[in-house]
Amino acid sequence: MTEKIAYYPGCTAKSYAKYMDSTARIVMKELGIELVELDRWNCCGTVYGLADDNLYSQLAPIRNMIRTLENGFDEVVTICSMCYNTLARANDLFKSDKEKADRLNAFMYKEPDYEGNVTVLHLLDLLVKRVKFQAVKEKVTNPLKGLKIAPYYGCTLLRPREISIDENIEHPSILSELIFALGGEPVEDPYMTECCGSYLTVKDKHLVADRTNKIVGSMQKRSADIIMVSCPLCQFNLDRRQKEVKALNPAFHKVPIVYFTQLMALAMGVDYKKLGFQDHYVDPVPILKKRGLIREKKKVAAKIAK
Amino acid sequence: MARIIVANTEYKVPSNLTIMKALEYLGWRLKRGVGCRGGFCGACSTIYRMKGDHKLYTGLACATKVEDGMIIAQIPISPANKKSYNIDSLKAQPNTILELYPEVARCISCNTCTKACPQDIQVMDYVQAALRGDIAKAAELSFDCIMCGLCATRCPAEITQFNVGILARRLYGKYIAPKYKQLEKRVKEIEQGKFEDELSKLTKASKQKLVELYAARVREEVKR
Amino acid sequence: MAFVKLTKSKKNIQFREKVIELAGNAVIKCYQCGECSGGCPEAGAMDLLPNQVMHKIQLGDESVLHANTFWICSTCLVCSTRCPKGIDIAKVMEALREIVLRSKQSYLTLDSLEEDDLKEIPQIAFVSSFKKQTQ
C-alpha cells in the first residue's frame, strides 16, 4: 500500500529546479510513498529570520504549517534544503516560545490557531529514518558503478545542530551512504559542508564564482565525476557560476552538478531523458555515458513505459 | 441616522446610504474617487475604522453602507509601479513576472493584501503563484481584480499587486490559455471572403424575403 | 583591583544595547578566540573579520556599521556552530543588517538588477537576497 505524506515543494522546485521535484515524486513512488502536494502553500521565506523582534519573517513558514493541518496531515516533507531549514527552525521557535507563538496566531487572518503540532522533514530524513537506504538499494536496477560522486551538503541541511539531518555536523555521512546504496563511489571532500555563497549570487556574484572555483575545483582534484546536491540554490551557484570561474582560473575543468533525486532516479532505471539534464549548464550526460550508466537500449525504455 | 466621521468632523447621515451617497448627501461634489457607482470600476477605494475597533477596514464607497461610528477616508488613487512592456515580445516563462516586477520576491506572505481586498480575492496566493512562475494560477486567482489599489497601499513589501495580476492575465490570455481552433478557422474563412456572397444576398433581400428565410432557417439540434 | 571603563559615551552604550536587543546578550561573552573568523568561508572578502566585529560591538563602536562584513555574510552558520562560547554570531550579523535596513538604507536596490540576472537567477536567491539586503 502506498503511504501518503504531505509535500511542500517550494517555489524554485516549481520552476528552475522542476526536475528536482519531478524526480523526487518518481523515486518516492517507486519506494511506496506518494508525495501529496499541499493544495495551498506560500514561499517559506527561504531564509530563517534571526532578529529577535522581527516576527514578520516567521509568518510565512508558520502559515505553511497551518496549510499542512488543513490538508489533514501532521507532518510535511520538503526536498529543498533552504525550505527545510526555514520551515523547521520557524516551527521550533513556535514550539519553544509561547509568547511569540501567541503573537503569530493573533496576526493570522481567518486561519485557525496553530499549536505547533506539525513535524517538518527533509526528504533525506524520510529516506534515512523511515524508508531506509537498504530499501533504496533494493530498487536499484542501474547501479551507478564506477561513478565517482562528490556529496555536497552545503549549510542548511546541517546547521544549526538542532535541525541537522546528520548527527555529525562537521563530517556528515548521509549522502555518502545514499551514494553507496545507489552503487556509486562517494568522494568526500572538506569543502562538502562549506557555503556556496547562497544569495550573494544576486549582488556579489564574483564572490560566489570564487566559492565555486574552490569547492568544485577541490572536488575535481579528487577526481570526482559529478557533484550531488540537495538544494536548488547550491545547484544554481555551483553549476551556472562555472561560467564565470573559467575567467578566474583557466586550469578549471567543469564538473556537472546534479540533485540527489536525479541520481536516485537514474539508478532506479528511469530514462535519463526524463531527468532534466538538458537544463544544466554543465551537461552530466557525457560523463554518465562514459561510465556506461546511460545506455540507449530498449530495456531501460521499457521500464519507464511501465 | 448614523454618525460618521469624515475629515475629522462628525456628521449625521441616513443609515441606509452607501458611503458615496452619504458624502454627496453631506454636500461633497465628488470628482475623484468616483466612477461606475456599481462596484465594478474600482475608483472609490475607501478605508475606515469603527470607533473602538483596532481593525482598519477597506471597501468600495459605492458598495459599502455607512454604519454608526465609521471613521472614513477615501483613497482616490494608489501610486503604482507600472512597467511598460510589449506583450508580443514577452514569453510566458517562470521568471517573466519577476523580470518586470522583481519586488514580487519581497513578499513575506503576511496576507495583508488579502485582508485589504474588497473583492475577497486571495491576493497573497496569486502573488505567491506569480513568484513561483505559475502564471496560469496567478491569472485565475486574480481574475476578479478591479484594480482599486487597496492591496498595494497596504503591502509592507511595496508590491503593486494589481499590476502583477494583470500581467499574469495578459500572459495567460496570450500564451497559455488554449486556443480555439474553430474560431481561428472561421476568422480565416471570413478574411478569405467565404461569406461575402451570402451576406450581400441578405443585405439586398426584401423584408418579406428575410422573414421567409428566417422561418426556414436550419436549426442546430440541441444535444443533451 | 580597579576596572577600566572602556565604553564611556551614552551613544556607544545605546548602540550596544540595540544589538543586544536584536541578537541577545551572548555577544558580551566573546573572548576573541577567532574561531568564527577561522571558519568563515568569506573572511577573505571582509574588511573586518567576524571576531573584530564582535569586539567593536562590545565597545559600542558604531563604525562597525560601515563594514561590509555583515553584507558579505551569507548566514552559513559555521561561526555560530563552532563558537566555544555559544554565541550565535550569524544572529549578530543579522542584527547589524537590520539596524542599517531600518534606518532606510539598502545594500541592494531592485532597479540595479541586470536583465540577464533577472532572467536567469532562481526565485530562491531573489527572495533571500531581498530579505537580507533590501529595506
Side-chain angles (χ1 to χ4, degrees):
Chain A
M1 210 188 91
T2 323
E3 190 191 339
K4 287 186 177 181
I5 187 162
Y7 170 55
Y8 175 87
C11 305
T12 309
K14 281 280 160 188
S15 51
Y16 173 77
K18 57 180 179 290
Y19 289 100
M20 185 194 198
D21 169 72
S22 62
T23 50
R25 288 175 199 252
I26 294 172
V27 300
M28 293 317 284
K29 203 174 174 191
E30 193 77 0
L31 291 164
I33 293 180
E34 190 193 338
L35 300 176
V36 184
E37 184 177 329
L38 299 177
D39 58 4
R40 240 179 120 189
W41 52 272
N42 53 262
C43 167
C44 64
T46 73
V47 279
Y48 174 70
L50 289 160
D52 269 341
D53 65 347
N54 184 355
L55 283 184
Y56 249 148
S57 52
Q58 315 301 349
L59 284 166
I62 295 303
R63 205 182 293 286
N64 287 316
M65 301 295 110
I66 297 172
R67 300 281 182 249
T68 305
L69 292 170
E70 282 175 352
N71 279 251
F73 293 92
D74 60 2
E75 54 180 11
V76 60
V77 65
T78 177
I79 37 172
C80 166
S81 311
M82 279 175 90
C83 294
Y84 165 70
N85 191 285
T86 312
L87 295 173
R89 293 189 77 185
N91 200 31
D92 283 355
L93 175 82
F94 193 95
K95 287 182 200 172
S96 64
D97 193 327
K98 177 82 172 62
E99 193 241 320
K100 282 184 180 153
D102 288 345
R103 268 162 64 198
L104 284 165
N105 269 333
F107 187 87
M108 295 287 174
Y109 183 38
K110 287 174 178 163
E111 284 89 349
D113 276 2
Y114 175 54
E115 286 161 7
N117 49 339
V118 172
T119 313
V120 180
L121 293 171
H122 189 272
L123 196 71
L124 284 163
D125 251 336
L126 194 69
L127 289 173
V128 174
K129 287 174 190 153
R130 212 164 308 162
V131 180
K132 314 278 184 202
F133 286 148
Q134 183 58 34
V136 175
K137 200 175 172 181
E138 282 160 16
K139 292 283 178 190
V140 171
T141 55
N142 180 29
L144 308 178
K145 218 173 153 225
L147 186 67
K148 292 184 172 165
I149 309 165
Y152 178 76
Y153 294 83
C155 323
T156 47
L157 278 181
L158 301 170
R159 295 183 287 268
R161 196 179 298 275
E162 294 74 23
I163 57 100
S164 173
I165 61 154
D166 198 302
E167 278 176 20
N168 191 336
I169 65 168
E170 292 287 352
H171 195 134
S173 56
I174 280 182
L175 288 179
S176 293
E177 285 163 35
L178 176 64
I179 293 167
F180 277 128
L182 300 178
E185 194 184 313
V187 179
E188 294 193 346
D189 184 279
Y191 279 103
M192 69 183 177
T193 60
E194 253 195 50
C195 182
C196 66
S198 186
Y199 55 83
L200 298 181
T201 208
V202 177
K203 165 92 175 167
D204 300 293
K205 64 173 126 168
H206 62 286
L207 293 176
V208 178
D210 187 46
R211 302 263 78 221
T212 303
N213 182 21
K214 281 186 184 130
I215 296 165
V216 178
S218 173
M219 291 177 176
Q220 198 248 325
K221 270 186 206 137
R222 279 169 212 271
S223 59
D225 292 330
I226 206 162
I227 296 170
M228 182 168 106
V229 300
S230 70
C231 168
L233 188 48
C234 297
Q235 201 283 338
F236 175 84
N237 283 343
L238 298 182
D239 184 43
R240 300 296 165 104
R241 293 291 171 241
Q242 290 189 38
K243 250 187 271 181
E244 282 92 8
V245 171
K246 203 70 188 165
L248 285 173
N249 177 7
F252 181 82
H253 290 289
K254 288 174 184 167
V255 183
I257 316 290
V258 293
Y259 301 113
F260 70 101
T261 50
Q262 285 174 313
L263 285 184
M264 285 177 78
L266 184 71
M268 289 180 179
V270 177
D271 184 1
Y272 80 93
K273 284 177 188 145
K274 289 193 167 181
L275 304 182
F277 290 150
Q278 70 277 8
D279 281 11
H280 293 227
Y281 171 67
V282 185
D283 188 1
V285 173
I287 186 70
L288 295 175
K289 275 198 173 148
K290 197 174 161 193
R291 295 282 178 260
L293 300 169
I294 289 178
R295 293 172 299 269
E296 310 274 4
K297 272 188 197 166
K298 291 267 157 68
K299 209 176 121 195
V300 183
K303 168 100 186 167
I304 316 316
K306 201 171 67 174
Chain B
M1 297 295 268
R3 277 165 305 164
I4 59 169
I5 297 172
V6 187
N8 268 347
T9 313
E10 191 173 299
Y11 300 96
K12 275 185 183 168
V13 295
S15 50
N16 58 353
L17 297 182
T18 61
I19 294 175
M20 183 177 285
K21 287 199 175 138
L23 294 175
E24 285 169 338
Y25 173 88
L26 294 173
W28 265 287
R29 190 172 157 206
L30 301 174
K31 284 186 177 173
R32 287 274 179 270
V34 60
C36 74
R37 294 171 180 266
F40 276 101
C41 79
C44 57
S45 318
T46 302
I47 54 172
Y48 61 91
R49 274 195 161 87
M50 303 301 295
K51 257 188 183 168
D53 184 349
H54 77 278
K55 279 192 175 157
L56 182 71
Y57 296 92
T58 59
L60 298 174
C62 69
T64 312
K65 261 188 168 183
V66 289
E67 282 176 61
D68 203 40
M70 256 186 184
I71 309 161
I72 299 168
Q74 290 216 276
I75 314 280
I77 57 148
S78 163
N81 180 24
K82 187 177 175 184
K83 293 282 166 71
S84 59
Y85 46 81
N86 179 353
I87 194 76
D88 291 326
S89 57
L90 294 181
K91 285 180 189 151
Q93 282 167 340
N95 268 28
T96 307
I97 295 178
L98 273 179
E99 272 171 52
L100 287 159
Y101 298 110
E103 62 270 26
V104 164
R106 279 166 49 82
C107 174
I108 46 164
S109 305
C110 69
N111 211 26
T112 308
C113 48
T114 305
K115 287 185 203 175
C117 181
Q119 290 287 89
D120 287 336
I121 296 171
Q122 285 168 2
V123 185
M124 182 192 83
D125 291 67
Y126 86 64
V127 171
Q128 284 292 323
L131 170 63
R132 72 179 83 128
D134 192 343
I135 295 169
K137 192 167 186 190
E140 186 198 328
L141 288 176
S142 67
F143 189 79
D144 286 337
C145 174
I146 52 173
M147 309 190 77
C148 70
L150 283 165
C151 49
T153 53
R154 297 284 288 135
C155 179
E158 294 143 314
I159 301 167
T160 305
Q161 288 88 337
F162 56 92
N163 278 342
V164 172
I166 202 164
L167 172 57
R169 296 197 294 284
R170 283 170 178 159
L171 288 168
Y172 179 79
K174 182 145 180 77
Y175 298 107
I176 301 170
K179 298 275 181 284
Y180 295 98
K181 289 206 178 104
Q182 299 91 322
L183 178 70
E184 278 173 17
K185 194 180 147 207
R186 184 52 54 90
V187 168
K188 214 173 222 171
E189 285 173 351
I190 292 169
E191 281 170 357
Q192 285 165 352
K194 195 182 170 185
F195 303 101
E196 227 118 284
D197 285 353
E198 286 280 317
L199 201 64
S200 70
K201 262 187 225 167
L202 285 177
T203 50
K204 284 171 195 161
S206 65
K207 192 181 172 189
Q208 178 67 25
K209 180 79 184 159
L210 280 176
V211 171
E212 278 168 33
L213 280 172
Y214 185 77
R217 74 190 187 278
V218 184
R219 292 192 203 197
E220 203 175 326
E221 289 278 319
V222 179
K223 283 177 195 167
R224 288 190 194 272
Chain C
M1 194 173 126
F3 287 98
V4 182
K5 203 174 172 187
L6 291 171
T7 312
K8 292 190 178 106
S9 93
K10 200 175 167 189
K11 211 180 156 201
N12 293 355
I13 293 168
Q14 273 174 348
F15 171 65
R16 186 172 62 203
E17 291 299 317
K18 185 69 199 167
V19 176
I20 288 172
E21 189 189 315
L22 294 174
N25 61 5
V27 60
I28 56 173
K29 291 191 211 158
C30 174
Y31 56 13
Q32 292 296 313
C33 71
E35 185 84 8
C36 47
S37 305
C40 180
E42 293 299 353
M46 289 171 175
D47 43 28
L48 278 180
L49 292 170
N51 67 302
Q52 292 175 312
V53 169
M54 298 301 283
H55 191 223
K56 281 190 181 271
I57 292 170
Q58 288 175 335
L59 296 175
D61 183 351
E62 266 186 300
S63 72
V64 72
L65 293 176
H66 301 295
N68 69 0
T69 310
F70 50 93
W71 297 121
I72 283 174
C73 162
S74 57
T75 328
C76 78
L77 301 187
V78 167
C79 50
S80 300
T81 50
R82 289 188 188 165
C83 176
K85 298 299 280 178
I87 307 167
D88 192 345
I89 295 140
K91 193 169 178 167
V92 178
M93 297 299 161
E94 179 104 330
L96 299 178
R97 278 192 292 269
E98 288 277 317
I99 290 171
V100 177
L101 296 177
R102 289 177 197 185
S103 69
K104 301 188 184 176
Q105 296 170 60
S106 286
Y107 179 62
L108 170 75
T109 49
L110 267 53
D111 50 14
S112 69
L113 296 169
E114 286 169 30
E115 206 175 303
D116 288 346
D117 286 346
L118 282 167
K119 274 199 174 72
E120 187 185 48
I121 293 175
Q123 297 91 331
I124 191 168
F126 286 127
V127 174
S128 39
S129 157
F130 293 174
K131 213 157 166 192
K132 300 277 189 193
Q133 301 178 330
T134 64
Q135 50 129 331

